[in-house]
Amino acid sequence: MNIDLKEMTQLAPIFRELFKGYHLSRSEPECYAQLSNMQDQYRALFKALGFELVCDPRGFYYFVPEQMGAQVNKTAQRLALFTFILVEHLADQGRDPLSVLDGGTIGRDELPALLEKYRDLFMQAEVTTHEELEEKVIRRLTQLGFAEDSNGVYRFLPPMHRFLDVCLAVQHDRDLAASLHSTDLELRAPVLMDDDSGDTIIPIETSESVEESEEDALARAMAEERAVQEEDA
């Protein structure tokens, strides 16, 4: 496949965001449009540079971490746990969790009651105050492209489906256990593991675990690609 770098006018911002763990969706219209229109070219280029681009049909793009079996960092686990809690909370209120987490919203004023109701679970995530909930969870959701903050109203974006998939899998296991009338299968919310644990919840890499800067990585990768092209010529 011929790859014309001149046509990839959004290459630098696309790579920068994907490299730091951001999930690109329609909330970034220029980058998303170019990825959608040149999906095969971008996937081929990033593969040649050592990155695997995932093009989720539900409308978002992200990089797969280099080591899929490595322990997921605590941020990703914390966000998965928060999603589980939110699904339970919305269902208890008679609200459809899928409609809320798939383009819907919650308000900042809902967070204190949520924290109080699920305090024991939040303590697993080292979240004990309203400020920590906003800093460690909500802010990270917005930084990684899972949600947008509009003056204290949080709108969830398509990448939330990654965490919803985990929650639906847990619910499926619960339903299976119930159908078997089993008392031996105790199913709980996703539990945060120690950093040296081998268990994972969902493979997401964030900028907290990246040592090389986005600019340096892109410059290195592009230099390697040019060298390969010169050798082929």
Side-chain angles (χ1 to χ4, degrees), residues 70-90:
Q71 166 62 21
V72 179
N73 63 56
K74 188 165 290 187
T75 293
Q77 297 179 34
R78 186 177 286 127
L79 299 186
L81 181 62
F82 173 74
T83 306
F84 181 93
I85 290 172
L86 197 54
V87 167
E88 294 275 314
H89 175 68
L90 293 170

Side-chain angles (χ1 to χ4, degrees), residues 21 23 65 70-84 125 136-137 140-141 144 146 160 162-164 166-167 190-193 195 199-209:
H23 291 58
Q71 166 62 21
V72 179
N73 63 56
K74 188 165 290 187
T75 293
Q77 297 179 34
R78 186 177 286 127
L79 299 186
L81 181 62
F82 173 74
T83 306
F84 181 93
K136 295 181 178 181
V137 177
R140 296 303 287 153
L141 284 173
L144 295 174
F146 294 101
M160 280 298 294
R162 294 196 69 193
F163 293 124
L164 280 171
V166 176
C167 294
V191 177
L192 295 179
M193 303 299 176
D195 289 340
D199 294 329
T200 63
I201 295 177
I202 190 168
I204 296 177
E205 182 119 335
T206 72
S207 56
E208 293 178 348
S209 61

Side-chain angles (χ1 to χ4, degrees), residues 9-142:
T9 57
Q10 298 297 315
L11 175 58
I14 286 174
F15 181 83
R16 180 176 61 250
E17 296 304 314
L18 294 174
F19 183 78
K20 68 182 183 182
Y22 191 82
H23 291 58
L24 282 168
S25 63
R26 289 182 176 85
S27 63
E28 304 291 337
E30 292 185 4
C31 292
Y32 181 81
Q34 186 160 110
L35 273 173
S36 299
N37 294 331
M38 304 180 66
Q39 180 172 292
D40 293 339
Q41 293 93 322
Y42 269 101
R43 183 184 290 165
L45 173 61
F46 289 141
K47 183 178 181 180
L49 301 177
F51 301 94
E52 182 180 349
L53 175 66
V54 175
C55 310
D56 195 288
R58 293 169 292 191
F60 57 94
Y61 299 85
Y62 62 95
F63 276 162
V64 174
E66 293 182 4
Q67 297 181 353
M68 292 294 292
Q71 166 62 21
V72 179
N73 63 56
K74 188 165 290 187
T75 293
Q77 297 179 34
R78 186 177 286 127
L79 299 186
L81 181 62
F82 173 74
T83 306
F84 181 93
I85 290 172
L86 197 54
V87 167
E88 294 275 314
H89 175 68
L90 293 170
D92 288 345
Q93 289 187 327
R95 299 159 68 184
D96 181 5
L98 290 180
S99 65
V100 174
L101 295 174
D102 187 11
T105 63
I106 63 169
R108 179 180 282 124
D109 57 347
E110 297 184 59
L111 297 182
L114 187 68
L115 177 62
E116 184 62 30
K117 182 179 179 180
Y118 295 95
R119 183 167 296 278
D120 290 344
L121 287 176
F122 275 117
M123 287 181 64
Q124 294 185 35
E126 300 176 357
V127 173
T128 59
T129 66
H130 184 200
E131 291 74 19
E132 287 181 339
L133 177 55
E134 289 208 35
E135 177 69 18
K136 295 181 178 181
V137 177
I138 302 299
R139 188 173 70 88
R140 296 303 287 153
L141 284 173
T142 60

